[in-house]
Amino acid sequence: MAHDFEDHCWKDIIDADTLQIYQAYQRKIYVGDNPAVLAIDLYNKAYLGGDRPVKEVDREFSGSCGEHAWKALAPTQRLFAAARRAGVPVIYSTRHVDTRGVQSTNRNIKKLGDDVYDIKAEVAPAPGELVIYKERASAFFGTPLIAHLQMMKIDSLIICGESTSGCVRASTVDAYSYGFHNVLVEECTYDRSSICHKVNLFDLHHKYADVMHVEEVLAHLDGLAQERKVA
Amino acid sequence: MAHDFEDHCWKDIIDADTLQIYQAYQRKIYVGDNPAVLAIDLYNKAYLGGDRPVKEVDREFSGSCGEHAWKALAPTQRLFAAARRAGVPVIYSTRHVDTRGVQSTNRNIKKLGDDVYDIKAEVAPAPGELVIYKERASAFFGTPLIAHLQMMKIDSLIICGESTSGCVRASTVDAYSYGFHNVLVEECTYDRSSICHKVNLFDLHHKYADVMHVEEVLAHLDGLAQERKVA
Amino acid sequence: MAHDFEDHCWKDIIDADTLQIYQAYQRKIYVGDNPAVLAIDLYNKAYLGGDRPVKEVDREFSGSCGEHAWKALAPTQRLFAAARRAGVPVIYSTRHVDTRGVQSTNRNIKKLGDDVYDIKAEVAPAPGELVIYKERASAFFGTPLIAHLQMMKIDSLIICGESTSGCVRASTVDAYSYGFHNVLVEECTYDRSSICHKVNLFDLHHKYADVMHVEEVLAHLDGLAQERKVA
Amino acid sequence: MAHDFEDHCWKDIIDADTLQIYQAYQRKIYVGDNPAVLAIDLYNKAYLGGDRPVKEVDREFSGSCGEHAWKALAPTQRLFAAARRAGVPVIYSTRHVDTRGVQSTNRNIKKLGDDVYDIKAEVAPAPGELVIYKERASAFFGTPLIAHLQMMKIDSLIICGESTSGCVRASTVDAYSYGFHNVLVEECTYDRSSICHKVNLFDLHHKYADVMHVEEVLAHLDGLAQERKVA
């Protein structure tokens, strides 16, 4: 269970000089106290075109993460199930279909179906779970998320979803700024571009969050479920 | 003067598939209306150890950007001079030496001299220019920057400084969220790691800002100086 | 048209000592550049029970502003019409019916109809006008309002709606903090309690906004409509 | 110790109709979990001219709260001492002397001495206590206060200081919006104007905070000190 600090998907791409310079960030990583899961933008649009390479689905469905989205589906289901067993809230972000031309990024997008920003059924919110509607990349920007977290006495976040280089990164940086201890679940986080995914995870791991493997997080949540049952 | 949308430092590292997927972001790039220069963290600490490779200066001065910082010094001086001639405000960010243990990122840092967060003399603020003191990566987070920009009727930003993968990125994402059109000046922006610099500039260019070469921005500012002199 | 700085509804309640102390706030009042109208919480709930004293309608419809709401209806219609003729955007705030128990204030509220937070038909948004959904008193808190205003290059606000001592005050204080010049239209602003209305308007006028009479604001907007037609 | 919900300084000024309408806000009031004291703007300027009526000191020292400030000094000292005995953090706000013309409100102010924004010696921070520097009325606006509170796992606030109708009100409304349970200590909160003090306390008590008498809060803190000593 004890992974090396750099034993992550970025190993094949980060050079030795950078790794040496980034040794200053080495520290013990952990899931924080009283966490919530923050599930970023797991909406239908990310899965459009099916379990195929992004460059194939992209022709028809700009914004789809293709095979990367589909690969993350099973571990994300396990993550949410473990969180719910442990009494850890699962909080979602998505966006309204019509936000008067305001976008998360500069991408040129065409009009899509009305359900593209519904959370994908396989990982959908349970009744009563909080869904935050946002217009920008960060789940904190222009939303009441910080107030809900404060009222729920949440001290740390377990973050997953997409895209690593867009909304996940922006949300994680804001979460760090607000003072949360953050875990990013590697297998439940994805992007359209492999290099962007890896370098952003590398950045986030060293600067703003603890990137952990899903089995480590599941083990922690299972332990928490036991503790809280006893208590 | 007309550069290709992808004619930037990331050319040698971004793969063809990613470039294809990111074609959706192609658009005309430009310096926005009534801009201000936002100079991120041009403090002494970034230059410690001198004009040498980062892995060499890093041993003694963790956080220094070494040769990357020094290489950006001359173009940054030209940028600020052109901005001032055009009546474009130059706004700086830095941090207080003592912020009670609050940091921009998770890096382990040792105690440094009292002047490490003073802006480097060669690019220092002119009398009366605004300096924003921040505790986190973004120049907007926990600071009155947005209020000052609103009061100055600033509509767009010209961003430079360090580090590309830290405070520059966080500030640029926030600026986009607040509704500013952003230009990032490639030659005046730097990082400790080359791969992090390139991939973050790539991300920012496509999603949140127009990465432009310094000569393009200087030409625009010189034109603006002429216009404003006539007006 | 030139009203005295203190010629407002609070005259019968503010004592001479307070007026003397508050002379330090005297200044020229005016409608700012490139304004937008910010219409706070003009939803059906504020009008429930009809044009009767608040203490009568309150028994059945807690939260209604009764006769104060109805009295403001005609001047508010005139204000919006003049704004639209002048090309001044009208921006609304309201709230979602279900916000998971989060409230603007501590008031105990009972479940009401599904349309209580729809904007009252007589002052409803024209097609395409921006409606901000909020959970707290301020139209800025936890909403993307500041980003929309920045993108629309709005420099000042003309504020109206309810309640003076709740959402109008909170929104106006935030608007001042963000750097907007604010006008509050006295005849288009209301509260359930007369004393709270008057003292809050007094506070806001001196500290954060220019309280103006509706005919002054209408005259300004009519002038702006002429100017913009010519231009 | 059990005070009536309306047994406060506003009794002589709030009319019966308003009291009836505001019955909807009645609820049990209490000091929240894991509180911090938030001491608003207890700087020297508020005490200038000495323990005399505001209209007398105001001629020379605009912004002084005169006798109201001095009367609150002893109870505030008791409050801070009890908080420190209970391990409850005391957090201060003040402002920098030079903020480039940015002000909390529209008041016309003249240049004062360099120490006017130092916290008054009698209630000064102990070594290591957090001081937040702000430019606007609210201690949250444009400051990192929310991040510090989140990192300290503070769930509720005990607020005191000045002025009730300015910075105390703005800070309390923001604290409520961020999800904190707030107590306002009546005897430790003051204003230049008596009517503004009373009506703002009335508003805050019903909508955003529990206004409590200092002896109630002291009793709670003494109990907390006992509990925490035992634990």
Side-chain angles (χ1 to χ4, degrees):
Chain A
M1 200 63 69
H3 285 272
D4 183 81
F5 192 71
E6 301 289 350
D7 186 16
H8 289 285
C9 60
W10 55 75
K11 277 194 302 187
D12 63 346
I13 201 164
I14 304 295
D15 57 284
D17 280 9
T18 296
L19 282 176
Q20 186 195 307
I21 297 165
Y22 275 67
Q23 282 181 359
Y25 292 98
Q26 290 225 7
R27 62 195 187 278
K28 191 177 167 346
I29 68 172
Y30 61 95
V31 180
D33 291 341
N34 205 27
V37 171
L38 182 58
I40 309 285
D41 293 6
L42 295 175
Y43 40 58
N44 289 321
K45 200 177 76 168
Y47 302 84
L48 292 177
D51 187 0
R52 288 186 296 148
V54 179
K55 71 173 176 179
E56 290 180 21
V57 298
D58 185 67
R59 284 166 205 155
E60 192 174 356
F61 303 105
S62 180
S64 174
C65 295
E67 61 188 353
H68 305 307
W70 288 88
K71 190 175 174 193
L73 204 45
T76 303
Q77 289 177 304
R78 294 176 63 206
L79 177 68
F80 292 0
R84 289 171 184 137
R85 283 193 304 269
V88 167
V90 182
I91 300 171
Y92 292 77
S93 74
T94 186
R95 42 189 291 132
H96 290 290
V97 174
D98 177 12
T99 51
R100 299 165 46 89
V102 179
Q103 298 177 213
S104 309
T105 73
N106 281 318
R107 192 147 45 86
N108 303 310
I109 48 174
K110 45 180 175 179
K111 186 96 181 71
L112 293 164
D114 277 356
D115 65 346
V116 291
Y117 293 117
D118 289 354
I119 304 298
K120 186 154 182 63
E122 290 90 328
V123 289
E129 287 180 339
L130 178 62
V131 181
I132 294 289
Y133 291 83
K134 66 189 177 73
E135 297 189 349
R136 296 304 197 174
S138 169
F140 288 91
F141 190 90
T143 79
L145 178 55
I146 183 64
H148 285 273
L149 294 172
Q150 174 64 34
M151 283 185 292
M152 297 159 82
K153 300 183 193 291
I154 297 299
D155 294 327
S156 67
L157 295 171
I158 298 168
I159 302 172
C160 66
E162 60 92 18
S163 68
T164 319
S165 68
C167 300
V168 170
R169 175 154 184 160
S171 301
T172 305
V173 172
D174 272 358
Y176 180 86
S177 292
Y178 275 114
F180 294 91
H181 175 82
N182 303 301
V183 162
L184 263 175
V185 190
E186 180 170 333
E187 291 79 6
C188 304
T189 303
Y190 54 97
D191 201 289
R192 282 167 290 144
S193 156
S194 180
I195 186 173
C196 294
H197 174 68
K198 290 175 180 178
V199 173
N200 276 281
L201 267 197
F202 175 80
D203 281 352
L204 289 167
H205 180 57
H206 291 80
K207 295 184 171 173
Y208 310 111
D210 294 359
V211 176
M212 292 176 73
H213 293 284
V214 65
E215 79 265 26
E216 295 173 294
V217 180
L218 291 174
H220 179 87
L221 291 172
D222 290 347
L224 191 60
Q226 286 300 324
E227 271 177 50
R228 289 184 171 180
K229 197 174 294 173
V230 173
Chain B
M1 200 61 67
H3 284 273
D4 183 80
F5 191 72
E6 301 289 350
D7 186 17
H8 289 284
C9 62
W10 55 75
K11 278 194 300 187
D12 64 347
I13 201 164
I14 304 295
D15 56 284
D17 281 8
T18 296
L19 282 176
Q20 186 195 306
I21 298 166
Y22 274 68
Q23 282 180 359
Y25 293 97
Q26 290 224 6
R27 62 195 186 278
K28 191 175 168 345
I29 68 173
Y30 60 96
V31 179
D33 291 341
N34 206 26
V37 171
L38 182 58
I40 309 285
D41 292 6
L42 295 175
Y43 40 58
N44 289 319
K45 201 178 74 167
Y47 302 83
L48 292 177
D51 186 0
R52 290 185 296 148
V54 179
K55 72 173 176 179
E56 289 180 21
V57 298
D58 184 68
R59 283 166 205 155
E60 192 174 356
F61 303 105
S62 180
S64 174
C65 295
E67 61 188 354
H68 305 307
W70 288 88
K71 190 173 173 194
L73 204 46
T76 302
Q77 289 178 304
R78 294 176 63 207
L79 177 69
F80 291 0
R84 288 170 185 139
R85 281 194 304 269
V88 167
V90 183
I91 301 171
Y92 292 76
S93 73
T94 185
R95 42 189 292 130
H96 290 290
V97 174
D98 176 11
T99 51
R100 298 166 45 89
V102 179
Q103 298 176 216
S104 309
T105 73
N106 282 317
R107 192 147 46 85
N108 302 309
I109 48 173
K110 47 180 173 179
K111 186 95 181 71
L112 294 164
D114 278 356
D115 66 346
V116 290
Y117 294 117
D118 289 353
I119 305 298
K120 186 154 182 64
E122 289 90 329
V123 288
E129 287 181 337
L130 179 62
V131 181
I132 295 289
Y133 291 82
K134 65 188 178 72
E135 296 188 350
R136 297 304 198 174
S138 169
F140 289 91
F141 190 90
T143 79
L145 177 56
I146 183 64
H148 285 273
L149 293 173
Q150 175 64 35
M151 283 185 292
M152 297 159 82
K153 301 184 194 290
I154 297 299
D155 295 327
S156 67
L157 296 171
I158 298 168
I159 302 172
C160 67
E162 61 91 18
S163 68
T164 319
S165 67
C167 299
V168 170
R169 175 154 184 160
S171 301
T172 305
V173 172
D174 272 358
Y176 180 86
S177 292
Y178 275 114
F180 294 91
H181 176 82
N182 303 301
V183 163
L184 263 175
V185 190
E186 181 170 333
E187 292 78 6
C188 303
T189 303
Y190 54 98
D191 201 289
R192 281 167 292 143
S193 157
S194 180
I195 185 172
C196 294
H197 174 68
K198 290 175 179 178
V199 174
N200 275 282
L201 267 197
F202 175 81
D203 282 351
L204 290 166
H205 181 57
H206 290 80
K207 295 185 172 173
Y208 310 111
D210 294 0
V211 175
M212 292 176 74
H213 293 284
V214 66
E215 78 265 27
E216 296 173 293
V217 179
L218 291 174
H220 179 87
L221 290 171
D222 290 347
L224 191 60
Q226 286 300 323
E227 272 178 49
R228 290 184 171 180
K229 198 174 293 174
V230 173
Chain C
M1 199 62 67
H3 284 274
D4 183 81
F5 191 72
E6 302 289 351
D7 185 17
H8 289 284
C9 61
W10 55 75
K11 278 193 301 187
D12 64 347
I13 202 165
I14 303 295
D15 56 283
D17 281 7
T18 296
L19 281 176
Q20 185 196 308
I21 298 166
Y22 275 68
Q23 282 180 357
Y25 293 97
Q26 290 223 8
R27 61 194 188 280
K28 191 176 169 344
I29 68 174
Y30 61 96
V31 180
D33 292 340
N34 205 27
V37 171
L38 182 59
I40 308 285
D41 293 6
L42 294 176
Y43 41 57
N44 289 321
K45 201 178 76 168
Y47 303 84
L48 291 176
D51 187 1
R52 290 185 297 148
V54 179
K55 71 173 176 178
E56 290 180 21
V57 298
D58 183 68
R59 284 165 206 156
E60 192 174 357
F61 303 104
S62 179
S64 174
C65 295
E67 62 188 353
H68 305 307
W70 288 88
K71 189 173 175 194
L73 205 46
T76 302
Q77 289 178 304
R78 292 176 64 207
L79 177 68
F80 291 179
R84 288 171 185 137
R85 281 194 305 270
V88 167
V90 182
I91 301 171
Y92 292 77
S93 73
T94 185
R95 42 189 293 130
H96 290 291
V97 175
D98 176 11
T99 51
R100 298 166 45 89
V102 179
Q103 298 177 214
S104 308
T105 73
N106 282 317
R107 192 147 46 87
N108 304 310
I109 49 174
K110 47 180 173 179
K111 186 93 182 71
L112 293 165
D114 277 356
D115 65 346
V116 289
Y117 294 118
D118 289 352
I119 304 298
K120 185 153 182 66
E122 289 89 330
V123 289
E129 286 180 341
L130 179 62
V131 181
I132 294 289
Y133 291 83
K134 66 187 177 72
E135 296 188 349
R136 297 304 197 173
S138 169
F140 288 91
F141 190 90
T143 79
L145 178 56
I146 182 64
H148 284 273
L149 294 172
Q150 175 63 35
M151 282 185 293
M152 297 159 82
K153 301 184 193 289
I154 297 299
D155 294 328
S156 67
L157 295 171
I158 298 168
I159 302 173
C160 66
E162 61 91 19
S163 69
T164 319
S165 67
C167 299
V168 169
R169 174 154 185 160
S171 301
T172 304
V173 173
D174 272 358
Y176 179 87
S177 292
Y178 276 114
F180 294 91
H181 175 82
N182 304 301
V183 163
L184 262 174
V185 190
E186 179 170 334
E187 291 79 5
C188 304
T189 304
Y190 54 96
D191 201 289
R192 281 167 292 144
S193 156
S194 180
I195 185 173
C196 294
H197 174 69
K198 290 175 179 178
V199 174
N200 275 282
L201 267 197
F202 175 80
D203 281 351
L204 289 167
H205 181 57
H206 291 79
K207 296 184 172 175
Y208 309 111
D210 293 1
V211 175
M212 292 176 73
H213 293 284
V214 66
E215 78 266 26
E216 296 173 292
V217 179
L218 291 174
H220 179 87
L221 290 172
D222 289 347
L224 191 59
Q226 285 302 322
E227 271 177 52
R228 289 183 171 181
K229 197 175 292 173
V230 173
Chain D
M1 200 63 68
H3 284 274
D4 183 81
F5 191 72
E6 301 289 351
D7 186 16
H8 289 285
C9 61
W10 56 74
K11 278 194 301 186
D12 64 346
I13 201 164
I14 304 294
D15 56 284
D17 281 7
T18 297
L19 282 177
Q20 186 196 307
I21 297 166
Y22 275 67
Q23 282 179 359
Y25 293 97
Q26 290 224 8
R27 62 193 187 280
K28 190 177 169 340
I29 68 173
Y30 61 97
V31 180
D33 292 340
N34 204 27
V37 171
L38 182 58
I40 308 286
D41 293 4
L42 295 175
Y43 40 57
N44 289 321
K45 201 178 74 167
Y47 303 83
L48 292 177
D51 187 1
R52 289 185 296 148
V54 179
K55 71 172 176 179
E56 290 180 21
V57 297
D58 184 68
R59 283 165 206 158
E60 193 174 357
F61 304 104
S62 179
S64 174
C65 296
E67 62 189 351
H68 305 307
W70 289 88
K71 190 173 175 194
L73 204 46
T76 302
Q77 290 177 303
R78 293 176 64 207
L79 177 68
F80 292 179
R84 288 170 185 137
R85 282 194 304 270
V88 167
V90 182
I91 300 171
Y92 292 77
S93 73
T94 185
R95 43 188 292 130
H96 289 290
V97 174
D98 177 11
T99 51
R100 297 166 44 91
V102 179
Q103 297 177 214
S104 308
T105 73
N106 282 318
R107 191 146 46 85
N108 304 311
I109 50 175
K110 48 179 172 178
K111 186 95 182 73
L112 292 164
D114 278 355
D115 66 346
V116 289
Y117 294 118
D118 289 353
I119 305 297
K120 185 152 182 67
E122 290 90 329
V123 289
E129 286 181 339
L130 179 61
V131 181
I132 294 289
Y133 291 83
K134 65 189 178 71
E135 297 188 349
R136 297 304 197 174
S138 169
F140 288 90
F141 190 90
T143 79
L145 177 56
I146 182 64
H148 284 273
L149 294 172
Q150 174 64 34
M151 283 185 292
M152 297 160 81
K153 301 183 193 289
I154 296 300
D155 295 327
S156 67
L157 296 172
I158 298 168
I159 301 172
C160 67
E162 61 91 19
S163 69
T164 319
S165 68
C167 300
V168 169
R169 173 152 185 163
S171 301
T172 305
V173 173
D174 272 358
Y176 179 86
S177 292
Y178 276 114
F180 294 91
H181 176 82
N182 304 302
V183 163
L184 263 175
V185 190
E186 179 169 334
E187 291 79 5
C188 303
T189 304
Y190 54 96
D191 201 289
R192 281 167 293 144
S193 156
S194 180
I195 185 174
C196 294
H197 174 68
K198 290 175 179 178
V199 174
N200 274 283
L201 267 197
F202 175 80
D203 282 350
L204 289 167
H205 181 57
H206 290 80
K207 295 184 172 175
Y208 309 111
D210 293 0
V211 175
M212 292 176 73
H213 293 284
V214 65
E215 79 266 24
E216 296 173 293
V217 179
L218 291 174
H220 179 87
L221 290 172
D222 289 347
L224 190 59
Q226 286 301 322
E227 272 178 49
R228 289 183 171 181
K229 196 175 293 172
V230 174

